[in-house]
Amino acid sequence: DAGITQSPRYKITETGRQVTLMCHQTWSHSYMFWYRQDLGHGLRLIYYSAAADITDKGEVPDGYVVSRSKTENFPLTLESATRSQTSVYFCASRWGPSSEQYFGPGTRLTVT
Amino acid sequence: GQQVMQIPQYQHVQEGEDFTTYCNSSTTLSNIQWYKQRPGGHPVFLIQLVKSGEVKKQKRLTFQFGEAKKNSSLHITATQTTDVGTYFCAGNHRGSTLGRLYFGRGTQLTVWP
C-alpha cells in the first residue's frame, strides 16, 4: 500500500528550465493539494483540486501549472524555473472536504 | 481574507517542561486539525476537533477548540525529546469550497535533554 508518493525526491535544475513534479495517490481521494515549504513561511498552498479536471489557485500560484486528468495523479509544473522556486514541495490528499490530509514525502527542488 | 494565525513561531524548552501553541482564526471554523512535522519529514495528522469547546487528549497532548470555534490550542505536558518538531494547526472554514485547509505557520519546538 504505497499511499501517496512523490517523484523525484530530489531535483536540481537550472533557471529557465521546465520542471514537473509528480504526485500519485492510491486511495482514490477526491481532493489533492500542492504546498511549498520555506523557512519562516510554513506551508503555502500553490494549487488544489477537488476532483479530476477541477483545480483552483492557492496563495502562491504564479509560475506554476497543474493538471488533473486522473483522480490519482496531480502533477505540478514549473514552466520556467526561477531561483525563488527553490523549496521543498509537498503533495497532499484527502478523502472529503473536512477529512484529514495525508502528505507525501516531499520533493526538494533546487534551482541554480 | 481567511487566515489562521499561530503563535509562538519558536519554542525552546527543557525536557520535562510543558509546551503550548495557540491558533486563532479570523473567521469561524467548521473544524480544526493539528499536524506534526518531524525535522526532515512531512506533516502527519494528529487529531481533528469539531465541536465547540471540545477537548481531546492523546497521552501527554491535550487539544482544545474554543467555544466560538475560532481558536485552538495544543498543550504538551512534560515534554520529551521525541516531541521535537513543528506543530501546525489547520482550519476548515465554514462555507469554504473545494476542501481548502488553512494552515497556521507552525510552532517549531526544540527540547533540550
Side-chain angles (χ1 to χ4, degrees), chain B residues 35-95:
Chain B
Y35 293 79
K36 177 182 178 181
Q37 182 179 23
R38 296 182 186 274
H42 59 275
V44 174
F45 174 79
L46 292 176
I47 206 162
Q48 176 170 281
L49 304 171
V50 178
K51 299 176 184 176
S52 170
E54 189 170 14
V55 178
K56 286 189 176 181
K57 292 191 176 184
Q58 287 180 349
K59 297 183 180 178
R60 295 177 293 104
L61 279 62
T62 301
F63 303 84
Q64 294 188 337
F65 200 12
E67 293 291 340
K69 301 183 75 172
K70 285 188 173 184
N71 58 75
S72 181
S73 64
L74 158 60
H75 180 83
I76 302 178
T77 303
T79 55
Q80 299 175 359
T81 54
T82 54
D83 295 324
V84 164
T86 301
Y87 293 84
F88 293 97
C89 62
N92 282 292
H93 288 276
R94 273 190 189 171

Side-chain angles (χ1 to χ4, degrees), chain A residues 60-81:
Chain A
V60 289
D62 294 343
Y64 303 95
V65 174
V66 293
S67 62
R68 194 157 176 221
S69 56
K70 291 184 177 181
T71 300
E72 60 267 29
N73 297 323
F74 192 37
L76 176 74
T77 298
L78 288 66
E79 293 187 298
S80 178

Side-chain angles (χ1 to χ4, degrees), chain B residues 4-22:
Chain B
V4 173
M5 309 300 291
Q6 189 175 354
I7 57 169
Q9 191 171 355
Y10 303 97
Q11 187 75 53
H12 305 273
V13 300
Q14 192 151 23
E15 192 172 19
E17 293 182 337
D18 292 356
F19 158 77
T20 305
T21 174
Y22 301 91

